[in-house]
C-alpha cells in the first residue's frame, strides 16, 4: 500500500455544548499521503489545519466523508489502537506533553501503556533518546531543559511507539530559533529513516524543507504541490495572508533586476550555488 493516509471528502463541524453544529472547520478535503513522504501544511489561523490533523489520528471523527490510516477507517472503533499506533502526534506546547519528573520515564510512558516487557521498554527508550540526540540528558528533570530539548523529549515519547507516521502540529511555535533548528533537524532525520512526516507550521522556511506543501484556507485545500510549485505562485500565496520563504522573495527581487534566478530555487544552498556559477 503506497498511500499511508487517504482522506475522502472529509467534512468536520465542531458542535456547541448544546449540540448545535458550528461553522465548518474542514470543508470537503480529499487527499492522500504517500508512505515515507514529508508534507508541510500551512494556512492562516483558523484555516482548519489542526482539525484536519486530529481527524487523521482519530482524535476527532468526520462529520462527513472518511479518513483511512493504513487502510483502516478512523470511524472503526475496533481499530483505534492500530490507528493511533500508526499515526502519532506531536503538539505545540512541550510542557503539556511531558508527564514525568525524569526524562527517560517520560519516554517510557507510551511503551509502558502498550504493556511491553521491561527489556523491550528499555530498548525503545534508549533508541528513541538517541534518535532525538537526548540520550545524555536521560536522567535529567524535563523542567530544567530548554524548550527545544523538551520538544525533542516529547518527540522521543512518540518515536518510542514506533509510529509509521508522525503529525507535528506547529512543533516549533513556542521555541527560540536554536530550538526550532534542533527540532527541524530531528524531523528531517526521522523522515530519512523512513517515517512519514506531516508538519503543520507557520514558518515558511520550514515548509520549504518538505517535499510537498499544502495550503489550507477556510477549511479547504487551496494549493498542493512541491514547495517550488506552490511558492512560485507568490501573489496567490500572499493573497491568503501567508508569506513566502525568504529565498523565494529574494529571488523575485533579483529577477526584477535582471538576474534570471530559476523558480525551482527555494532554499539558501540552492541560491548560493546558482549565484556562484552565475556570470
Ligand atoms: P488552525 O489549526 O488552522 O488554526 P483549527 O483547525 O484550529 O485551525 O480551527 C478551524 C476552525 O474551527 C476555526 O474556525 C476554529 O475557530 C474552529 N475550532 C477549532 N477548535 C474548535 C473547538 N474545540 N470548538 C469549536 N470550534 C473550534
Ligand atoms: Mg492549529
Amino acid at each position: 500500500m503506497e498511500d499511508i493516509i487517504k482522506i475522502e471528502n472529509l467534512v468536520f463541524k465542531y458542535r456547541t455544548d448544546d449540540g448545535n453544529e458550528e461553522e465548518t472547520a474542514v470543508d470537503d478535503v480529499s487527499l492522500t499521503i504517500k508512505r515515507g513522504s514529508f508534507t508541510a501544511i500551512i494556512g492562516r489561523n483558523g484555516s482548519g489545519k489542526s482539525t484536519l490533523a486530529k481527524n487523521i489520528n482519530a482524535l476527532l471523527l468526520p462529520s462527513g466523508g472518511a479518513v483511512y490510516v493504513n487502510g483502516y477507517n478512523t470511524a472503526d472503533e475496533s481499530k483505534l489502537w492500530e490507528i493511533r499506533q500508526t499515526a502519532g502526534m506531536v503538539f505545540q506546547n512541550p510542557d503539556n506533553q511531558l508527564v514525568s519528573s525524569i526524562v527517560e520515564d517520560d519516554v517510557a510512558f507510551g511503551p509502558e501503556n502498550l504493556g511491553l516487557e521491561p527489556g523491550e521498554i528499555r530498548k525503545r527508550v534508549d533508541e528513541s533518546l538517541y534518535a532525538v540526540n537526548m540520550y545524555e540528558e536521560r536522567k535529567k528533570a524535563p523542567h530544567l531543559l530548554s524548550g527545544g530539548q523538551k520538544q525533542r523529549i516529547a518527540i522521543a515519547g512518540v518515536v518510542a511507539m514506533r509510529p509509521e507516521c508522525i503529525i507535528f502540529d506547529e512543533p516549533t511555535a513556542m521555541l527560540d530559533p536554536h530550538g526550532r533548528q534542533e527540532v527541524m533537524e530531528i524531523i528531517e532525520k526521522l523522515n530519512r529513516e523512513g517515517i512519514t512526516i506531516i508538519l503543520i507550521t507557520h514558518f515558511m522556511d520550514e515548509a520549504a524543507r518538505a517535499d510537498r506543501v499544502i495550503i489550507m484556507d477556510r477549511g479547504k485545500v487551496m494549493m498542493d504541490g512541491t514547495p517550488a510549485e506552490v511558492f512560485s505562485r507568490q501573489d496567490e500565496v500572499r493573497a491568503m495572508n501567508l508569506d513566502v520563504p525568504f529565498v523565494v522573495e529574494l529571488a523575485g527581487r533579483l529577477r526584477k533586476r535582471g538576474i534570471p534566478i530559476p523558480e525551482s530555487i527555494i532554499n539558501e544552498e540552492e541560491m548560493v550555488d546558482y549565484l556562484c556559477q552565475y556570470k
Side-chain angles (χ1 to χ4, degrees), residues 14-15 22-26 43-52 54 169-170 200:
Y14 287 97
R15 284 177 185 279
E22 303 218 350
E23 72 180 293
T24 308
V26 173
R44 66 177 122 193
N45 278 344
S47 56
K49 305 178 299 296
S50 295
T51 306
L52 177 70
K54 288 176 187 161
D169 193 352
E170 304 206 20
I200 297 171

Side-chain angles (χ1 to χ4, degrees), residues 115-161:
L116 300 172
E117 297 169 14
E120 174 67 14
I121 294 173
R122 182 77 255 161
K123 186 167 153 242
R124 288 198 186 195
V125 168
D126 290 351
E127 260 175 26
S128 309
L129 285 168
Y130 276 119
V132 301
N133 297 334
M134 286 295 288
Y135 185 75
E136 299 302 322
E137 278 77 19
R138 67 191 179 284
K139 301 286 184 197
K140 291 193 177 157
H143 72 272
L144 297 177
L145 302 175
S146 71
Q149 289 177 318
K150 283 190 222 174
Q151 192 60 299
R152 285 188 284 146
I153 297 302
I155 295 170
V158 173
V159 168
M161 307 292 279

Side-chain angles (χ1 to χ4, degrees), residues 12 53-61 74 80 84 89 91:
F12 187 87
K54 288 176 187 161
N55 271 273
I56 296 174
N57 89 337
L59 282 172
L60 296 173
L61 294 178
T74 57
L80 186 61
R84 297 258 171 90
M89 252 186 109
F91 297 93

Side-chain angles (χ1 to χ4, degrees), residues 207-228:
R209 289 159 80 160
D211 12 271
R212 174 183 180 192
V213 175
I214 292 173
I215 301 188
M216 289 188 71
D217 197 45
R218 287 169 222 189
K220 289 184 181 293
V221 170
M222 305 301 286
M223 285 195 206
D224 183 349
T226 64

Side-chain angles (χ1 to χ4, degrees), residues 29-97:
V29 166
S30 295
L31 55 89
T32 55
I33 300 287
K34 279 199 172 52
R35 202 173 287 282
S37 62
F38 179 177
T39 304
I41 303 180
I42 58 177
R44 66 177 122 193
N45 278 344
S47 56
K49 305 178 299 296
S50 295
T51 306
L52 177 70
K54 288 176 187 161
N55 271 273
I56 296 174
N57 89 337
L59 282 172
L60 296 173
L61 294 178
S63 313
V67 177
Y68 300 90
V69 175
N70 258 348
Y72 300 128
N73 189 324
T74 57
D76 179 353
E77 272 180 46
S78 70
K79 294 289 182 277
L80 186 61
W81 195 85
E82 280 90 342
I83 290 163
R84 297 258 171 90
Q85 176 97 339
T86 304
M89 252 186 109
V90 174
F91 297 93
Q92 190 176 101
N93 189 343
D95 291 321
N96 295 342
Q97 301 172 80

